[in-house]
Amino acid sequence: AQSVAQPEDQVNVAEGNPLTVKCTYSVSGNPYLFWYVQYPNRGLQFLLKYITGDNLVKGSYGFEAEFNKSQTSFHLKKPSALVSDSALYFCAVRDYGNNRLAFGKGNQVVVIP
Amino acid sequence: NAGVTQTPKFQVLKTGQSMTLQCAQDMNHNSMYWYRQDPGMGLRLIYYSASEGTTDKGEVPNGYNVSRLNKREFSLRLESAAPSQTSVYFCASSSGEESYNEQFFGPGTRLTVL
């Protein structure tokens, strides 16, 4: 079964500094990888996904993620964090040919003014 | 378009009571999902419906039932609520034609079982 690990509970970063949220995955076939963001008391919002092709994926709000097959990682990045980026971030993976998503436990990102 | 809507937003139940959480989407999506979110555990899939007329168990189906009423609506029923079912419940949908399509989430229902 597919699974995702987000090793850090919380990521603290100063406003204007680069932000990285880590994710590693385990699947039996080709992975489809997703990042979602959740603001307080809201549902999850889709940020970006990797299906195939270029390993660097660009998404909403200036976020990007790098797929690394050898390290089975899909880290989320933003060059310059904003206070408004403070939220809960979820990585998710789907097996090829399977409609089910496996979510990580989430990372709380706190951007300090 | 409203996207994915859920009712109610909040609910408090006593142990043993029953209730149905409603979900509807207006994006003509084939697939719909019910998740629960608990602190430190991410989202766990309860049930899903790949298309109208079909439902399948997810990771944590015990204590729940679902109905795919039509293409738009997918309800989640707790027949006899237990304190362990205190959680935030999210409904989601995706076009489902291919497994790489992202899911769209509703705003959630915060359920407390006393």
Side-chain angles (χ1 to χ4, degrees):
Chain A
Q2 64 268 36
S3 65
V4 165
Q6 295 183 247
E8 300 161 315
D9 289 332
Q10 182 163 312
V11 175
N12 296 327
V13 62
E15 187 176 24
N17 281 4
L19 169 63
T20 298
V21 188
K22 296 180 179 178
C23 171
T24 58
Y25 65 89
S26 174
V27 294
S28 56
N30 291 325
Y32 293 163
L33 294 154
F34 302 79
W35 275 102
Y36 289 83
V37 60
Q38 184 181 31
Y39 298 101
N41 300 313
R42 303 286 295 276
L44 277 70
Q45 296 178 32
F46 169 74
L47 277 179
L48 50 80
K49 65 183 177 184
Y50 171 82
I51 305 301
T52 187
D54 195 348
N55 289 342
L56 185 64
V57 178
K58 294 188 182 299
S60 306
Y61 311 122
F63 283 94
E64 58 189 28
E66 186 167 10
F67 171 68
N68 187 317
K69 189 171 184 178
S70 63
Q71 297 185 3
T72 61
S73 66
F74 189 55
H75 301 331
L76 181 70
K77 300 180 181 182
K78 187 171 184 180
S80 178
L82 301 172
V83 172
S84 57
D85 293 328
S86 298
L88 192 55
Y89 291 81
F90 290 96
C91 182
V93 66
R94 174 177 284 158
D95 266 331
Y96 178 77
N98 182 323
N99 271 337
R100 297 169 55 167
L101 273 179
F103 283 87
K105 62 180 173 61
N107 279 124
Q108 184 67 51
V109 169
V110 178
V111 182
I112 304 162
Chain B
N1 286 353
V4 179
T5 57
Q6 293 183 237
T7 55
K9 286 187 168 52
F10 302 94
Q11 184 71 47
V12 178
L13 293 177
K14 294 180 179 178
T15 297
Q17 288 184 317
S18 63
M19 78 161 296
T20 299
L21 282 65
Q22 306 287 353
C23 173
Q25 52 89 11
D26 61 1
M27 296 174 282
N28 201 35
H29 284 169
N30 289 317
S31 299
M32 297 186 74
Y33 311 82
W34 275 106
Y35 293 91
R36 59 178 289 172
Q37 182 181 22
D38 301 292
M41 301 189 74
L43 273 73
R44 293 182 292 170
L45 183 65
I46 304 171
Y47 270 93
Y48 68 105
S49 171
S51 61
E52 187 179 357
T54 68
T55 60
D56 287 286
K57 294 179 180 179
E59 184 183 353
V60 287
N62 291 345
Y64 305 95
N65 285 301
V66 290
S67 295
R68 184 74 184 267
L69 304 170
N70 47 55
K71 191 171 186 179
R72 290 187 64 248
E73 298 172 288
F74 188 38
S75 63
L76 178 72
R77 182 159 178 85
L78 287 69
E79 290 290 352
S80 179
S84 61
Q85 295 178 304
T86 293
S87 188
V88 182
Y89 291 85
F90 289 100
C91 178
S93 70
S94 70
S95 65
E97 295 299 328
E98 298 292 343
S99 57
Y100 51 71
N101 292 307
E102 60 268 27
Q103 294 180 11
F104 293 82
F105 285 79
T109 294
R110 189 174 295 273
L111 175 67
T112 301
V113 183
L114 302 175

